[in-house]
Amino acid sequence: MKLFYKPGACSMAAHILLNEAGAPYLLEKVDTEQGTTETGVSYLTTNPRGYVPALRLDDGAVLTENVAILHWIGEQFPELAPEFNEQPLLRFRQLELLSFLSSELHKAFSPYFSGKTFAEAEQAVIRSRLDAKLGQFNDLLAQGQSYLIADAFSVADAYAFVILNWTNFIGVPLDAWPETKAYVARIAARPSTRKTLQEEGLAA
Ligand SMILES: N[C@@H](CCC(=O)N[C@@H](CS)C(=O)NCC(=O)O)C(=O)O
């Protein structure tokens, strides 16, 4: 399979999981502004919406959208998913978390990467929306658990890590959310995360 990615972008969640599973995969870097890939072909033929991630499967089918790609990876490599067979509700807990991460937490960062300039009052609103979502995320960990579901690393954690890691790029310290700060450090220390950051050119 081949993952279409942009360094540090949300596509990094799938990348971490493929490394975590030890799965064979190829990478192709995308220039989303130009709509091309590093091999010089149009990316729009792979994902007409132009954004990453996209995952081309071995039979040529293409999956897009983080929620679908991450859920698919969890189904392929059950060691990355919660124990759905033992506890069927966990499948929906995972979907619930992936939906929150995708439509709430991820999107709260979007203004910071939009390339737009915001007036001071708008910046304050954007920041308070982000703080509210970070607070909601922190509440998920406030019982002292190490990971989001059943206290074991799973696909939702990879996505959460990638999003939360953006706080480093935009200069928002996580000190107000100590459980989240420790969670990010915990996932950053995983060999799969370190390998992924290196492969995306974000760590030595
Ligand atoms: N709905 C999409 C959004 C993906 C998305 O926001 N991708 C960003 C990177 S995190 C991107 O490719 N942005 C570049 C662009 O939109 O041109 C999903 O969840 O997969």
Side-chain angles (χ1 to χ4, degrees):
M1 78 195 111
K2 181 185 272 187
L3 176 66
F4 293 85
Y5 81 106
K6 202 162 110 171
C10 49
S11 45
M12 197 162 81
H15 191 178
I16 290 171
L17 292 166
L18 294 173
N19 279 332
E20 185 86 28
Y25 65 89
L26 297 171
L27 288 174
E28 188 150 344
K29 199 193 296 191
V30 178
D31 181 337
T32 52
E33 278 173 26
Q34 298 300 318
T36 54
T37 76
E38 62 183 319
T39 58
V41 299
S42 168
Y43 178 57
L44 300 182
T45 56
T46 300
N47 182 0
R49 292 185 291 282
Y51 45 70
V52 292
L55 187 65
R56 185 180 295 144
L57 309 183
D58 290 341
D59 65 0
V62 174
L63 270 180
T64 63
E65 301 297 326
N66 277 297
V67 173
I69 290 172
L70 300 177
H71 195 73
W72 184 87
I73 291 175
E75 297 274 331
Q76 296 303 306
F77 306 102
E79 68 271 27
L80 301 179
E83 295 184 333
F84 293 151
N85 291 339
E86 283 78 4
Q87 295 187 64
L89 189 64
L90 292 185
R91 183 184 302 277
F92 302 98
R93 198 61 77 206
Q94 175 171 290
L95 275 174
E96 179 183 50
L97 283 163
L98 291 176
S99 299
F100 168 71
L101 293 170
S102 168
S103 62
E104 303 292 335
L105 191 61
H106 181 159
K107 291 305 154 193
F109 283 84
S110 297
Y112 293 92
F113 299 117
S114 66
K116 293 185 194 148
T117 311
F118 296 99
E120 228 168 90
E122 290 171 310
Q123 284 176 32
V125 171
I126 289 166
R127 177 62 198 269
S128 76
R129 282 191 189 134
L130 176 61
D131 285 358
K133 296 301 165 192
L134 289 170
Q136 289 171 5
F137 180 86
N138 199 66
D139 289 345
L140 298 171
L141 300 173
Q143 306 304 320
Q145 60 273 51
S146 299
Y147 296 105
L148 287 171
I149 304 179
D151 225 13
F153 180 81
S154 66
V155 299
D157 295 302
Y159 192 15
F161 167 78
V162 170
I163 298 169
L164 294 165
N165 191 45
W166 294 336
T167 55
N168 291 314
F169 294 97
I170 65 172
V172 171
L174 286 172
D175 300 319
W177 305 280
E179 291 86 355
T180 299
K181 190 174 178 181
Y183 171 84
V184 169
R186 189 175 306 122
I187 300 177
R190 294 182 81 84
S192 61
T193 307
R194 292 159 57 154
K195 183 170 191 273
T196 302
L197 288 165
Q198 284 167 354
E199 287 175 349
E200 297 203 3
L202 299 170

